[in-house]
Amino acid sequence: MIKIKYDIIVKLYKGEDYDEALEKAFELFNLCKNKNDKFWSQKILFLIADIYDKTRKYKNSLEYYKKSLEVVEFYVEDKNDLISSDSNLGLAFLKIGSLYQKLSVAKEEKNKFKYLDSAKYYYEKIENLPQLNNEIETIKAKAFNNLSAIYERDSVFDKAESYIKKSIRIHEKYNNKIGLAFATNNLGNIFLSQKNYKKSKDFYLEGINLIKDDNSTEAIRVKAGLYTNLAWAMRNLKDFKAYDFQEMSYEFQDNIRDKEFRGIIDELSSKFDFDAQKERFQRQEEVKLLKEKDKVNTIVVISVLILIFLLIIITYYSLRQKDLQIKLSKTELLQSQNLDKLKSESQVRILNAAIDGKESERKEIAETLHDNVSALLSSANLHLQASRGQFNGKVPIEIDKTQKIINEAATKIRSLSHSLMSSVLLKFGLNFAIKDIAEKYSNSELSIDTQIEGLRRYEQNFEIKTYNIIQEFINNILKHSEANNAFIKLREIENTLVLEISDDGIGFNKNTITAREGIGINQIDARIQMMKGKFKIITSKGNGTIIKVELPIQERETINLL
């Protein structure tokens, strides 16, 4: 009976119906706990932890993996082979270590080093397990991979290299090409961090070659990381093929993003988060118990003092109902607040997914116009020019007119391509692209000056997003400010881009602007939130506008197996 219910929950989990899976898992866990069935209790606790992990609730996931581990360790002491296998222990250690490592990466966490120490503690427990079978060795390979990533992050490169080579040996033993590509990528990261770009490039190419014909979701994710890191290494080697590999990385990332976007849409179908559902379930049970208790009390009191205390019973029951109504109202209010919060977060994520899609589409159209359509027009013009020589006498006027039309079309294509995606940005970076904006938009009515300090080339997606934010602010100045002068100040301070845009225009009322829908301040604010940045507007009617933005610099990202 328990196994049937467990299989139903697993099916819901695999179908990504996480809210219902979690609710049923808690019900089944309580049943097993009451029966003191530790075997199934451990399996269900592990499944609950998996669900929280999939929904990025890492602290909740950690809590239930640890509860599962307590049951496993109990069976180890009791020498019961149903649960106490080294495989189960190793998997529990790996999951807990991975969660501590994920928590250490989160920028808002203050206990990064404490989390990393905890991750290493659990990974080293795995290292001490005996190598009995394929499953244990695979777990060890993942732990070695993660330990290598931690030591690389701490610049302890000799230990990082030692652990990743242990992982590679295990993957080679079992011919696990995806695992081997992961580990080879991380080995390349170690040399990249030491600025040995040539050696890191060789390892990235080796990893790509291992899975070049594998189009599974996991392989695509690994390829995206490999191509991103390869592009970074080649850029530092001054090899301009880096941009071709960067484009290949974007193609793989777009593939992954499409799947994640579908996940976001599925997530929106849930009315509120799992914790809220659990809380609602518990409160509904409490309300039922209270109502039953009231009924029992009422029957007892009526049977003993049916005439004397009739009025007291009615009054008590009425007050009790009011109290229950207040509690229910509070519960509904709390659920409504949780729902509003989720809607707000989901709207930001959908808005940014739409903006990402728009940026990708604009880039693709611009490149098509510039690389293909412009080339075709140039080719047509060359053929017409060659045909002129075939006329002994006067060249027909139609050829002159056709060439003029082609030249005009080519000019418009170049202008359209540049308006969709700045070629200056892609080739030379933010420094020159922002100066190009200022020069292009300055005219007799509006003068735009710039002050740009200490900028370098950044990861291309980060540059495009930053450029689009600045361009949107400048468009707003052109459309609404009626300013004579504007000033763009951009500099890098402690791995953060600090942007300040000011104008001497008419200013505006922030309260009315932020309530608008569509493209504008709201979308800029959403974009900055997703980039973990800060955004502030200082303005009032008649006093111009100052916009301040701080964006943490997004460097290249490496793929580590967690």
Side-chain angles (χ1 to χ4, degrees), residues 73-91:
E73 289 176 335
F74 170 84
Y75 270 82
V76 170
E77 292 177 4
D78 199 35
K79 303 195 182 303
N80 186 318
D81 291 334
L82 285 174
I83 295 182
S84 66
S85 72
D86 292 314
S87 297
N88 279 334
L89 272 176
L91 188 57

Side-chain angles (χ1 to χ4, degrees), residues 351-362:
L351 182 58
N352 277 277
I355 294 172
D356 283 338
K358 176 184 172 185
E359 288 174 352
S360 177
E361 185 179 12
R362 284 165 65 98

Side-chain angles (χ1 to χ4, degrees), residues 34-81:
N34 291 336
K35 290 184 176 182
N36 200 28
D37 188 335
K38 293 192 179 296
F39 173 78
W40 282 107
S41 294
Q42 184 271 335
K43 290 179 72 69
I44 296 164
L45 284 169
F46 210 92
L47 180 57
I48 291 170
D50 279 341
I51 295 171
Y52 277 126
D53 190 12
K54 280 287 186 184
T55 54
R56 295 184 176 87
K57 296 181 180 297
Y58 298 134
K59 291 185 178 179
N60 290 351
S61 179
L62 185 62
E63 175 188 349
Y64 283 94
Y65 279 132
K66 284 187 174 181
K67 287 181 179 179
S68 172
L69 180 60
E70 288 174 6
V71 180
V72 175
E73 289 176 335
F74 170 84
Y75 270 82
V76 170
E77 292 177 4
D78 199 35
K79 303 195 182 303
N80 186 318
D81 291 334

Side-chain angles (χ1 to χ4, degrees), residues 19 76 124 130 174 248 254 350 362 375 390 405 429 556 560:
D19 52 351
V76 170
E124 286 164 0
Y174 294 103
M248 295 179 75
D254 288 342
I350 286 185
R362 284 165 65 98
Q390 298 178 10
I405 291 170
R556 57 148 184 120
N560 291 316

Side-chain angles (χ1 to χ4, degrees), residues 172-236:
E172 286 177 338
K173 179 178 177 180
Y174 294 103
N175 196 29
N176 181 354
K177 290 190 176 181
I178 292 179
L180 190 56
F182 254 117
T184 305
N185 173 71
N186 287 2
L187 183 57
N189 292 344
I190 293 168
F191 288 102
L192 188 68
S193 296
Q194 297 176 81
K195 300 185 179 179
N196 188 340
Y197 302 120
K198 175 65 173 64
K199 204 161 185 178
S200 65
K201 170 190 168 184
D202 293 340
F203 282 118
Y204 294 141
L205 288 171
E206 182 182 336
I208 290 167
N209 190 55
L210 282 167
I211 54 173
K212 63 182 179 181
D213 298 324
D214 190 341
N215 294 315
S216 64
T217 301
E218 187 177 2
I220 289 171
R221 192 178 295 276
V222 177
K223 287 179 192 176
L226 282 162
Y227 276 112
T228 296
N229 298 340
L230 175 60
W232 189 261
M234 294 181 70
R235 190 180 300 172
N236 283 283

